[in-house]
Amino acid sequence: GYKGEIIKEYFENISEKWNVTLVDTGLDTMTGGRIKKIEKYVHNQTFCLSYGDDLKSVDITELINFHKTRKKLATVTIAKPNPRFGIVTIQEDDIINIGEKSKKDENWINGGYFVLEPEIFDYIDGDSSIWEVEPMKKLVKDNQISAFKYNGEYYPMDTIQDKIKLEELWESGNAYWKNWK
């Protein structure tokens, strides 16, 4: 995948020993299909999954412990993004309230950090499966997915503006996601 060799080289050159396997899932494989392609590497173990396109400082140990207590096949971290716009409340065609943006007004979103049991592979049909559509909806229907509420800072990196903002936070020493020394 994208810069896969650089990632592998990084883990080969650090003092801790990691076993890193890069899996080429193919350009046309959807998110569920990509997960399905790692099934043989999971070896019937609970595993973590992340989209990798946002930054948050989730306590992974706390997330895993939450997952274990819920005894579901899947746990998804949910977050409230920083609101981008003010809120307008209408009644028919009349504005009845205008408010500043506030996290309390935002909906919970899929925060992209998961703890999964190997049985989730049974919910994925193949390469064309979209994880967020068929498999996750089936898990909801079967009451096999729980929500780990993350209330800390959350910032996606979906646009060039997001990239610039995150780089500014990093360079200013205010990177809320950096919790290592």
Side-chain angles (χ1 to χ4, degrees):
Y2 181 70
K3 295 191 178 185
E5 288 307 313
I6 293 170
I7 294 167
K8 188 172 182 177
E9 183 179 314
Y10 170 81
F11 282 103
E12 288 172 347
N13 293 318
I14 60 174
S15 60
E16 293 179 45
K17 288 299 168 203
W18 289 72
N19 182 13
V20 177
T21 302
L22 301 175
V23 180
D24 184 353
T25 59
L27 291 175
D28 298 324
T29 306
M30 301 306 291
T31 52
R34 292 178 185 161
I35 296 167
K36 185 78 168 173
K37 288 187 184 262
I38 66 162
E39 183 174 10
K40 65 183 176 185
Y41 301 103
V42 170
H43 303 295
N44 207 30
Q45 296 178 46
T46 302
F47 64 102
C48 295
L49 173 77
S50 172
Y51 293 145
D53 63 352
D54 61 34
L55 293 166
K56 53 193 163 294
S57 58
V58 173
D59 182 325
I60 300 300
T61 302
E62 188 179 333
L63 171 61
I64 292 169
N65 289 338
F66 174 86
H67 173 76
K68 289 178 181 176
T69 64
R70 298 294 297 156
K71 297 181 172 43
K72 306 274 184 172
L73 298 182
T75 297
V76 59
T77 301
I78 59 172
K80 287 192 172 192
N82 291 321
R84 295 178 58 191
F85 306 104
I87 304 297
V88 176
T89 307
I90 63 169
Q91 189 171 47
E92 295 185 23
D93 293 332
D94 297 325
I95 293 177
I96 58 172
N97 189 38
I98 296 177
E100 275 304 306
K101 36 191 169 180
S102 168
K103 264 193 167 182
K104 72 177 180 61
D105 296 320
E106 292 296 311
N107 291 319
W108 290 100
I109 63 163
N110 172 351
Y113 285 15
F114 298 87
V115 182
L116 304 169
E117 297 300 324
E119 291 86 356
I120 62 96
F121 293 115
D122 295 336
Y123 286 77
I124 303 170
D125 292 330
D127 286 1
S128 63
S129 178
I130 300 170
W131 171 244
E132 303 79 7
V133 181
E134 305 95 1
M136 285 185 72
K137 286 186 178 187
K138 287 180 196 173
L139 288 162
V140 169
K141 183 179 178 229
D142 291 349
N143 193 28
Q144 285 298 317
I145 189 167
S146 58
F148 178 79
K149 293 178 182 170
Y150 170 71
N151 288 298
E153 289 294 318
Y154 167 88
Y155 209 94
M157 190 157 73
D158 296 326
T159 67
I160 191 66
Q161 290 84 6
D162 295 336
K163 178 183 181 289
I164 291 167
K165 170 72 173 171
L166 291 168
E167 286 175 344
E168 287 172 355
L169 285 170
W170 182 263
E171 290 168 11
S172 70
N174 295 315
Y176 62 85
W177 62 91
K178 183 183 179 221
N179 56 17
W180 65 93
K181 303 215 183 314

